[in-house]
Amino acid sequence: MVTAITDRQQLAYIAGQAADARVNVEIETEGMTLNMGPQHPATHGTLRIVAKLDGEQVIEAAPIMGYMHRGYEKLTEVRSYPQVTTLINRIDWLGSFANEVPFILAAEKLMEVEAPPRAQWIRTVLFELSRISNVMLFLGDMGVQLGALTPVFFAFRDREHVLNQIESVTGGRFHPNFDRIGGLKDDLPKGWIEDTKAVMEKVRTFCDEMEDLIMGNEIFEARTRGIGVIPADVALSYGMSGANLRASGVDWDLRRDRPVGLAWDEVDWKVWTHPDGDSFARYWVRLQETREASRIVDQLLDGIPAGPIMAKVPRIIKVPAGEAYVATENPLGQMGYYVVSKGDLVPFRVKIRSASFNNISIVPWVMKGVYVPDVITILASLYFILGDIDR
């Protein structure tokens, strides 16, 4: 009779012989279905990944979405235009101010109203601060997914400085509701520009620390280089956008290529891309973009024009009949609002195009053939917010 210990010894002997002979031993295993989530630290919300395994290799993976059922598109049909911003800044709760902007721009387009230059510049500054606070958390959290705890402590520590600046202008840390059709709720408080410049220095120091802690770490390199490679043509075919798309080598950024109603084209900055398309590239691009965003903020703060922060608009907002679509380069990628008005106080229809839904839709393609530990790496590097998917 062969005991379990003898079996292991035999397998070790066979494997050793095979290694000596430089041949591979393929061991037949029984298929297994692995459920990740819907509650899982790597999914940033309620997302379920159903993976079919052959040993430790993923042969099929499917994302199961819709656990949150937020229904924002239908809720906008029973809210006045000014009330809609209180809803939509919760879609991607880490980049909330940025969520408000494309909807307001779409409404302004229908009303043929343009915010004063000062309001456009301040909007752009707050937009970039939203991007920085959002992506800083990713830069720290990616380390946690791979076993490094220190980076996320640094991220939470330094993100506070950015959130404090957003709060001191808007009154809200996560849900500012600060945009108005035709401009902004308030002007900048005294001393805010100087304080924000000091915070941008801290952001750049944080990026340097992340580079030292993570980018040069051999474990991080081994876990991310060549893992979850997405070629440019595949990324485009799935409608990916944002840093995920630029990490596949596609030089596309709406801030540069289709600036609408904001001041990005008034300052000098660079679009970062990486040719590899793997998990490392997605982290690297976001790190460079955070530094670049701090430089954009610095330049904008130096040139904010004087003048009013609100255009002349009626006290009761009634948007003329028509249709408008406006998209901006939000922290997670392209976010657009298609607004249909019939001339009422509330929108007739709002269709939201957010980045996370398209970015996560590539999971079945990119997970095929990877190993179980790589699933966590890839999910973390794609960086999505479930509120942005289940809008």
Side-chain angles (χ1 to χ4, degrees), residues 79-83 103-104 107-108 110-111 113 180-183 310-320 341 343-347:
R79 299 288 193 281
S80 68
Y81 283 90
Q83 289 173 332
F103 175 79
I104 291 293
E108 288 177 351
L110 284 169
M111 293 181 69
V113 169
R180 298 290 184 271
I181 294 175
M310 273 296 292
K312 289 185 178 178
V313 293
R315 289 179 63 84
I316 305 298
I317 301 292
K318 202 169 184 180
V319 174
S341 172
D344 298 323
L345 297 173
V346 300

Side-chain angles (χ1 to χ4, degrees), residues 222-336:
R223 294 283 309 273
T224 55
R225 291 273 193 188
I227 304 298
V229 176
I230 303 173
D233 59 333
V234 177
L236 287 168
S237 69
Y238 276 90
M240 295 180 74
S241 61
N244 287 335
L245 183 64
R246 290 186 285 276
S248 292
V250 180
D251 187 11
W252 173 254
D253 191 314
L254 288 173
R255 291 176 291 176
R256 179 199 62 194
D257 300 316
R258 290 181 187 171
V260 180
L262 295 166
W264 287 304
D265 55 350
E266 302 285 347
V267 294
D268 181 33
W269 60 284
K270 176 181 177 180
V271 175
W272 291 88
T273 62
H274 197 289
D276 290 352
D278 57 7
S279 301
F280 180 90
R282 290 188 278 277
Y283 187 91
W284 184 88
V285 167
R286 288 193 176 94
L287 180 63
Q288 307 310 322
E289 289 186 350
T290 304
R291 277 201 189 99
E292 199 68 42
S294 72
R295 296 188 188 108
I296 292 173
V297 170
D298 272 348
Q299 293 179 63
L300 289 169
L301 291 175
D302 286 335
I304 293 178
I309 56 162
M310 273 296 292
K312 289 185 178 178
V313 293
R315 289 179 63 84
I316 305 298
I317 301 292
K318 202 169 184 180
V319 174
E323 303 174 5
Y325 177 76
V326 173
T328 52
E329 189 71 34
N330 280 41
L332 300 175
Q334 180 176 339
M335 185 169 200

Side-chain angles (χ1 to χ4, degrees), residues 84-123:
V84 168
T85 55
T86 62
L87 290 172
I88 58 178
N89 64 31
R90 286 161 168 77
I91 293 175
D92 162 19
W93 44 74
L94 297 181
S96 47
F97 180 85
N99 293 352
E100 298 176 6
V101 175
F103 175 79
I104 291 293
L105 291 175
E108 288 177 351
K109 189 174 180 181
L110 284 169
M111 293 181 69
E112 297 182 353
V113 169
E114 190 174 79
R118 182 174 178 82
Q120 293 180 20
W121 282 61
I122 296 173
R123 268 182 189 168

Side-chain angles (χ1 to χ4, degrees), residues 45-92:
T46 47
L47 174 71
R48 180 176 161 220
I49 303 287
V50 180
K52 292 182 179 177
L53 308 180
D54 177 9
E56 287 194 48
Q57 195 167 31
V58 177
I59 56 174
E60 190 178 318
I64 312 296
M65 299 167 268
Y67 286 90
M68 298 183 75
H69 301 293
R70 308 182 89 197
Y72 283 145
E73 291 180 359
K74 296 306 291 180
L75 286 172
T76 59
E77 297 173 9
V78 290
R79 299 288 193 281
S80 68
Y81 283 90
Q83 289 173 332
V84 168
T85 55
T86 62
L87 290 172
I88 58 178
N89 64 31
R90 286 161 168 77
I91 293 175
D92 162 19

Side-chain angles (χ1 to χ4, degrees), residues 36 39-45 47 141 145 375-377 379-381 384:
M36 279 184 58
Q39 305 292 343
H40 192 282
T43 60
H44 293 248
L47 174 71
D141 183 75
Q145 309 292 345
V375 171
I376 305 298
T377 303
L379 283 178
S381 72
F384 49 86

